[in-house]
Amino acid sequence: MRTADHAEGPGHRHDHRRLGRELGLFDTDPLIGAGLPYWLPDGATVRHTLEEYIRAEERRAGYRHVYSPVLGKRELYEISGHWSHYSEDMFPPMDLGAEQVVLRPSLCPHHAVIYRSRSRSYRELPLRMAELGGMYRSELSGVLGGLTRVRAIQLNDAHIFCTLDQVAREAGAALEMIRRAYEALGITPARHRLSLPGPGGKYVAAPELWERSTALLTEVLDRSGLPYESAEGEAAFYGPKIDVQVADGAGRESTLSTVQIDFHQPERFGLHYVGADGARHRPVMVHRSIIGSVERAVALLLEQHGGAFPGWLAPTQLMVLPVSAAELPNAEALARRCAERGLRAEVAGPERGTLGARVRESRLVPYQAVIGGREAAGDLVALRLRDGRRVGPLPAEDALGRIAALTDAHSAALWEDTAS
């Protein structure tokens, strides 16, 4: 899948590159190379939590997960059409004896090969195949920046193999998954776009298939009730797509999520299923990405939230603040109880400064649990919420239970039903 990119500048308040380094989430090093960021422990926690969220959502929606290699023979991409339409964005082939292999620019050819690994029946369709997989783009050094323009990409990708009469329903369900994910992540889309081919582009020459794909996606958008705009020149080389556009803190727009209809690759790979009539039929391939690349999703979250991630996604969810050294054992015990509940907690003791200084240092953490003498004696916690509200003192088990309920539900709220 291809998504549109944008150039980045450092001027806006929530620049994700600055925040990523200040918060210890990711960094780069010239020895590793431009466009190849590495993830630090807190960043890896955010990334892992985001990946597990989307995998769980996909499982609930009937997707089956696969793994496929990040390399493929050049012939694979010649069949898919990437080599003739997209080779300028691919890394050069590597010679392995008499063969040439390429770092993949997309996951769809691999999934097409997995689909055709055995005979398929109409009873299996729609077959929803998902993967959080690596892919590579040969971006020029001058356009690389932070997490939004990188050379190594971890993509939340999926391909639905279905009959023609299932396409609109599957594409519509993908749009609904995107809506729910944005709600959990606290993301507001800038707009929805129907991306069409434009003059002079490298597109597959199949006018009838383009017309059918465009008509189907238009039907899906019209049924959804979402306002949308059409844009020429933004389609993938093999078909039109629905792009969900997002904007960073400076108002620059990019594509995060996509839904695409593809008649081209099923034909190129000779995909088929056996219908109820016993004859072979060609499936349609629906490409969809709910959160796009993990890199771009984290960049957007940083810029939209300024590092104040939704509670379920925050690298540290609860900061435990003992007032003095006397309460330190109680604070450490509370952190252990958090771990048993699956909550990410850290203790910031008096060695890190005054209580006020520690509160300020933890301002991006969703919950702060202050433990003084009264709280330690009664197994209580006094909670400070990131938005300034104070709750309690409450019994520790009650407080942890309420927090866990919200984080387990991937709620964007910090407390009960009140939006954060």
Side-chain angles (χ1 to χ4, degrees):
M1 288 187 175
R2 182 165 191 180
T3 56
D5 293 305
H6 67 273
E8 236 193 323
H12 59 288
R13 184 167 60 95
H14 288 162
D15 178 58
H16 82 272
R17 295 168 297 180
R18 175 182 57 80
L19 280 170
R21 290 177 174 87
E22 287 179 358
L23 300 177
L25 301 178
F26 66 88
D27 211 335
T28 57
D29 191 286
L31 195 58
I32 295 176
L36 299 169
Y38 57 84
W39 296 78
L40 296 163
D42 278 356
T45 297
V46 172
R47 173 173 169 165
H48 180 264
T49 305
L50 186 59
E51 291 174 351
E52 283 304 300
Y53 163 76
I54 200 63
R55 282 195 186 99
E57 287 295 297
E58 287 170 339
R59 284 192 295 269
R60 275 192 283 271
Y63 287 81
R64 303 292 299 276
H65 289 94
V66 298
Y67 284 112
S68 57
V70 298
L71 290 168
K73 289 173 64 175
R74 172 175 165 171
E75 181 185 359
L76 175 68
Y77 306 107
E78 290 174 343
I79 294 172
S80 71
H82 285 83
W83 192 255
S84 58
H85 294 92
Y86 196 67
S87 58
E88 69 274 11
D89 292 309
M90 297 171 63
F91 281 96
M94 294 173 277
D95 292 323
L96 289 178
E99 296 180 343
Q100 286 190 323
V101 296
V102 184
L103 285 167
R104 68 178 173 193
S106 180
L107 281 68
C108 42
H110 291 73
H111 289 187
V113 170
I114 293 173
Y115 175 89
R116 75 174 193 182
S117 63
R118 65 172 178 81
S119 178
R120 305 285 180 177
S121 164
Y122 73 97
R123 294 186 179 89
E124 298 178 67
L125 306 186
L127 191 158
R128 306 179 185 100
M129 188 183 301
E131 181 175 3
L132 266 159
M135 64 182 200
Y136 298 83
R137 300 279 171 84
S138 181
E139 301 275 17
L140 298 175
S141 298
V143 301
L144 297 170
L147 296 177
T148 55
R149 289 292 289 263
V150 293
R151 288 172 170 158
I153 301 163
Q154 192 76 6
L155 186 68
N156 160 231
D157 207 3
H159 299 94
I160 304 164
F161 302 89
C162 59
T163 65
L164 184 60
D165 62 359
Q166 293 170 336
V167 169
R169 183 169 63 252
E170 292 299 315
L175 269 182
E176 174 59 19
M177 283 186 72
I178 292 169
R179 186 199 64 77
R180 290 198 305 270
Y182 281 30
E183 182 179 338
L185 293 166
I187 295 173
T188 302
R191 63 190 176 105
H192 290 75
R193 185 178 73 192
L194 178 60
S195 295
L196 304 171
K202 288 188 174 182
Y203 301 107
V204 171
E208 290 184 7
L209 298 184
W210 281 93
E211 289 175 9
R212 292 172 73 187
S213 301
T214 301
L216 282 166
L217 287 180
T218 301
E219 177 189 344
V220 169
L221 283 167
D222 289 342
R223 282 185 180 178
S224 74
L226 294 167
Y228 67 93
E229 304 168 11
S230 298
E232 291 189 352
E234 299 292 347
F237 73 83
Y238 49 78
K241 56 193 176 109
I242 297 171
D243 287 327
V244 184
Q245 300 296 103
V246 293
D248 66 12
R252 288 183 297 264
E253 196 176 283
S254 62
T255 302
L256 186 64
S257 311
T258 61
V259 181
Q260 308 170 26
I261 293 176
D262 182 5
F263 291 96
H264 170 71
Q265 290 190 70
E267 183 175 337
R268 297 278 292 187
F269 282 100
L271 305 186
H272 69 273
Y273 64 91
V274 178
D277 58 359
R280 287 155 58 110
H281 300 268
R282 186 83 69 210
V284 183
M285 198 170 173
V286 178
H287 306 235
R288 53 102 289 206
S289 184
I290 302 303
I291 59 168
S293 76
V294 173
E295 291 80 10
R296 175 164 292 175
V298 173
L300 177 71
L301 287 165
L302 277 169
E303 301 206 349
Q304 289 210 354
H305 298 305
F309 291 103
W312 64 270
L313 190 57
T316 301
Q317 296 169 314
L318 178 69
M319 187 67 74
V320 188
L321 304 170
V323 173
S324 69
E327 291 84 39
L328 191 56
N330 301 81
E332 291 171 344
L334 182 65
R336 289 192 295 271
R337 287 158 73 179
C338 287
E340 291 169 0
R341 282 184 170 270
L343 294 171
R344 298 182 290 275
E346 183 182 335
V347 176
E351 74 282 356
R352 288 169 60 170
T354 65
L355 180 61
R358 286 178 279 149
V359 166
R360 289 190 295 275
E361 183 184 8
S362 309
R363 66 190 180 281
L364 296 179
V365 178
Y367 306 96
Q368 300 170 358
V370 178
I371 300 181
R374 175 189 172 190
E375 288 78 20
D379 193 26
L380 305 171
V381 292
L383 287 178
R384 295 170 181 251
L385 308 187
R386 184 173 56 201
D387 59 14
R389 286 176 290 165
R390 299 191 184 194
V391 181
L394 294 173
E397 278 303 301
D398 183 15
L400 297 188
R402 294 194 192 189
I403 294 171
L406 287 166
T407 57
D408 290 347
H410 302 103
S411 173
L414 285 178
W415 196 250
E416 295 177 342
D417 296 324
T418 305
S420 59

